[in-house]
Amino acid sequence: MNDDNLLMELGIKRESPFTVPDKYFDNLDERIMSNVLSCESNNKYSAIHKKKVIGKISKWTSIAAACALVVVLSAKHFTQKAPTMDTAVFTEEEMSTVDILNYSMLESADVYNYLNGAEY
Amino acid sequence: MASYDEQLIIAELADPKKRSKAFEKVVRQYSRKLYWQIRHIVVNHDDTDDVLQNTFVKAWKNLDSFKGESKLSTWLYRIAYNESLNFIKQNREFNPLENFTEEDEQKQTLHIESDEYLDGDRTQRLLLEAINLLPTKQKAVFTMKYFDERKYEEIAEITGTSIGALKASYHFAVEKITKFIKAHDN
């Protein structure tokens, strides 16, 4: 037996048993269009908002990167070892003075006592 | 009502300046038809309204993906069909008819009886209860064939299923519904 005949035999009417609220279809198209357009404007807003956020993030990222660079360079600068006597570069004349000082073995206390006329 | 020329509408939809006005014409042409297709699958009026709104929003957002390979109406019915199935999958409280429990059946009866936008005699209410207990795709195929009186070729395009499979699905649905109504119609 045909499938549809099976249902008809049970006394089932083919018409839809559903109804809709009064005047539901009167403004349905307007509601759909306003929903569609508001979704679009929300999307546009979120796209603009996203761009702004990304713009702000990249601005702050650049500032942070610049600060980090300054900090790294300064740290490098201040942590560099001060030149020692050994590594210092002297002119020939300066070097001879340094040599005299080194080999005279005079301490600042000796110079002080000498100047005050103290006896050794 | 203004005349509806599908080819002209499709051309206007492709033009960003005319798109909004053209879409308005599409809404006017298909809102009721889509409402009834969705309503027969989703059943509840408020849920149908939500699914219908989502269908048009999706269609609007994906207009660029419409290549004109199928009719605009088929494309819209397909979106409505997919939206309806997704809605049911997310909200279904019942098991398919093969293994439904007495508790599912009671819930289903309450669900149908509490729908204020439902007219019809006892047999029609039983029919709806039986339809609601069908597996989701079978339910959609049955309602498109039985209530919307669509041809198998058209349903095949909307659902992406072969005509043979649709005929078999419809046949099994009728068998299950008949069995259910006979068992409950005292």
Side-chain angles (χ1 to χ4, degrees), chain A residues 1-4 6-22 24-26 28-33 35-37 39-40 43, chain B residues 20 23-24 27-28 31-32 35-36 39-40 43 45 49 53 56 60-61 117-119 121 123-124 127-128 142 145-147 149 170-171 174 178 181:
Chain A
M1 189 188 280
N2 181 305
D3 287 332
D4 290 349
L6 265 175
L7 294 171
M8 278 172 68
E9 262 201 354
L10 294 171
I12 299 169
K13 294 171 199 161
R14 202 171 192 125
E15 65 204 41
S16 172
F18 300 109
T19 60
V20 294
D22 276 350
Y24 169 72
F25 287 118
D26 289 0
L28 177 64
D29 300 345
E30 287 74 23
R31 280 199 306 115
I32 291 170
M33 276 317 288
N35 197 17
V36 163
L37 296 176
C39 281
E40 194 191 37
N43 280 352
Chain B
S20 176
F23 197 75
E24 247 181 83
V27 170
R28 271 205 300 275
S31 59
R32 281 182 184 232
Y35 172 88
W36 287 115
R39 180 78 191 268
H40 290 142
V43 176
H45 165 73
D49 190 57
Q53 299 286 346
F56 277 112
W60 173 256
K61 282 182 180 172
Y117 301 114
L118 189 62
D119 207 1
D121 55 24
T123 320
Q124 271 186 307
L127 170 68
L128 287 181
F142 179 83
K145 181 84 183 81
Y146 190 75
F147 289 124
E149 298 189 48
Y170 186 70
H171 176 72
V174 170
T178 311
I181 293 176

Side-chain angles (χ1 to χ4, degrees), chain B residues 42-147:
Chain B
V42 170
V43 176
N44 179 278
H45 165 73
D46 292 330
D47 296 339
T48 303
D49 190 57
D50 289 345
V51 175
L52 180 67
Q53 299 286 346
N54 287 345
T55 298
F56 277 112
V57 168
K58 261 212 174 136
W60 173 256
K61 282 182 180 172
N62 293 290
L63 271 178
D64 292 329
S65 71
F66 176 70
K67 305 290 178 203
E69 286 159 359
S70 63
K71 288 202 293 188
L72 184 64
S73 56
T74 308
W75 183 68
L76 288 168
Y77 288 131
R78 197 181 305 143
I79 297 173
Y81 165 77
N82 288 328
E83 285 296 302
S84 306
L85 293 201
N86 285 340
F87 176 85
I88 289 178
K89 273 179 200 162
Q90 284 162 11
N91 297 281
R92 191 165 199 160
E93 298 170 43
F94 317 111
N95 298 318
L97 197 58
E98 289 88 352
N99 52 3
F100 75 100
T101 62
E102 211 168 295
E103 195 190 347
D104 292 333
E105 202 183 312
Q106 282 168 357
K107 274 186 200 170
Q108 181 65 322
T109 309
L110 281 173
H111 186 69
I112 298 286
E113 281 175 359
S114 64
D115 194 333
E116 57 177 316
Y117 301 114
L118 189 62
D119 207 1
D121 55 24
R122 180 176 152 71
T123 320
Q124 271 186 307
R125 281 170 185 261
L126 275 177
L127 170 68
L128 287 181
E129 283 177 38
I131 292 171
N132 259 9
L133 288 165
L134 290 173
T136 315
K137 281 188 181 173
Q138 202 167 57
K139 177 185 178 179
V141 170
F142 179 83
T143 58
M144 279 194 268
K145 181 84 183 81
Y146 190 75
F147 289 124

Side-chain angles (χ1 to χ4, degrees), chain B residues 24-38:
Chain B
E24 247 181 83
K25 291 179 195 166
V26 173
V27 170
R28 271 205 300 275
Q29 182 72 12
Y30 293 108
S31 59
R32 281 182 184 232
K33 291 172 188 170
L34 288 173
Y35 172 88
W36 287 115
Q37 181 191 307
I38 296 166

